Amino acid sequence: MLVFNFSPFPNLETNRLNLRRLTSEDVDEILVLRSNPEIMQFIPRPLIKSKEEALEFITTMNAAVDSNTVINWAITTKENDELIGMIGFYRIKPENYRAEVGYILSAAYHGQGIITEALQRVIQFGFEEMGLNSIEAVIDPENFGSEKVLLKNNFVKEGHFKEHTFFEGKFLDSVFYSLLKKNY
Ligand SMILES: CC(C)(COP(=O)(O)OP(=O)(O)OC[C@H]1O[C@@H](n2cnc3c(N)ncnc32)[C@H](O)[C@@H]1OP(=O)(O)O)[C@@H](O)C(=O)NCCC(=O)NCCS
């Protein structure tokens, strides 16, 4: 079984971006991002409604990183340390050498290839440094932007699960994509 150690925190870099650990200084940006119903439209998680909840989110996320069960990065541009999005492996199954990737980006930065750029680096980290054999992504069937990001990164559609998730009174479909190490 794989064993992870995310300490010291693995800061990553791409052409335009820095990927770093969340800090309590990110509280306002997390609140703006996670309280926005449009941004959260396809992410079945409750909206964050206050600064306190945003701080709690940061604490919970960093505790999970410290216990090596999650790895989450704040996305920033190289010009500015302000958080513009997040990316990470949130459901890791070390026994299967597999993890689920997730990402979210502030609307002001959509359509500039930012998540694609961050995802390429995170995929490399997953395969080459974490030792994963496969990475999965689970999306809403109507999240065409996210689907495009996955297809651009060689993910393959594995299946469409009907009414797979119960969230806020509704059963939601989930589409599973995956990328195998041998195909990346
Ligand atoms: C999905 C998301 C992460 C994409 O981030 P991004 O940095 O804009 O992605 P990229 O620019 O790398 O690529 C997006 C591609 O999808 C396209 N696209 C975006 N929205 C689209 C839509 N509704 N229909 C079709 N294509 C769409 C873009 O034009 C772009 O295509 P291109 O590479 O040919 O220019 C971002 O829109 C987001 O954060 N959405 C809200 C959170 C979310 O849904 N997260 C994913 C949960 S699984």
Side-chain angles (χ1 to χ4, degrees):
M1 182 159 99
L2 284 179
V3 177
F4 306 115
N5 181 7
F6 301 130
S7 172
F9 186 85
N11 292 312
L12 303 178
E13 195 184 336
T14 69
N15 274 350
R16 292 179 290 171
L17 309 171
N18 287 326
L19 306 183
R20 61 155 173 82
R21 183 177 167 98
L22 288 184
T23 77
S24 51
E25 311 249 306
D26 298 319
V27 64
D28 291 331
E29 287 72 33
I30 300 273
L31 178 57
V32 168
L33 205 55
R34 292 286 303 241
S35 66
N36 182 330
E38 272 177 48
I39 293 280
M40 294 296 290
Q41 184 185 1
F42 297 124
I43 300 180
R45 302 271 183 287
L47 295 182
I48 287 181
K49 297 201 181 74
S50 66
K51 235 169 153 160
E52 289 69 34
E53 283 180 23
L55 260 181
E56 198 181 312
F57 173 88
I58 293 168
T59 307
T60 305
M61 201 54 92
N62 279 340
V65 172
D66 291 340
S67 64
N68 302 309
T69 50
V70 157
I71 178 68
N72 173 73
W73 290 271
I75 303 173
T76 74
T77 64
K78 287 205 170 146
E79 288 78 48
N80 190 326
D81 195 45
E82 191 173 294
L83 177 149
I84 61 167
M86 285 183 287
I87 188 163
F89 293 117
Y90 301 106
R91 290 193 195 110
I92 302 180
K93 295 187 194 115
E95 68 279 19
N96 296 332
Y97 295 67
R98 188 173 176 94
E100 180 186 333
V101 71
Y103 37 75
I104 183 168
L105 184 67
S106 162
Y109 293 89
H110 284 186
Q112 301 174 27
I114 289 190
I115 288 297
T116 297
E117 188 169 320
L119 181 60
Q120 282 169 356
R121 183 67 190 90
V122 164
I123 289 170
Q124 182 188 26
F125 180 83
F127 287 140
E128 294 180 13
E129 291 171 60
M130 289 171 68
L132 299 174
N133 177 62
S134 62
I135 296 173
E136 73 182 27
V138 184
I139 69 168
D140 184 288
E142 303 210 336
N143 195 349
F144 301 116
S146 189
E147 178 186 40
K148 185 100 187 260
V149 164
L150 296 170
L151 294 174
K152 281 196 290 186
N153 282 284
N154 292 333
F155 279 73
V156 171
K157 185 171 169 178
E158 299 273 0
H160 183 137
F161 290 75
K162 300 277 186 191
E163 304 196 0
H164 170 262
T165 302
F166 184 69
F167 178 66
E168 294 187 339
K170 288 189 190 142
F171 292 101
L172 307 174
D173 288 8
S174 298
V175 182
F176 280 64
Y177 283 81
S178 82
L179 176 64
L180 306 183
K181 184 175 185 183
K182 64 186 177 197
N183 295 333
Y184 119 89

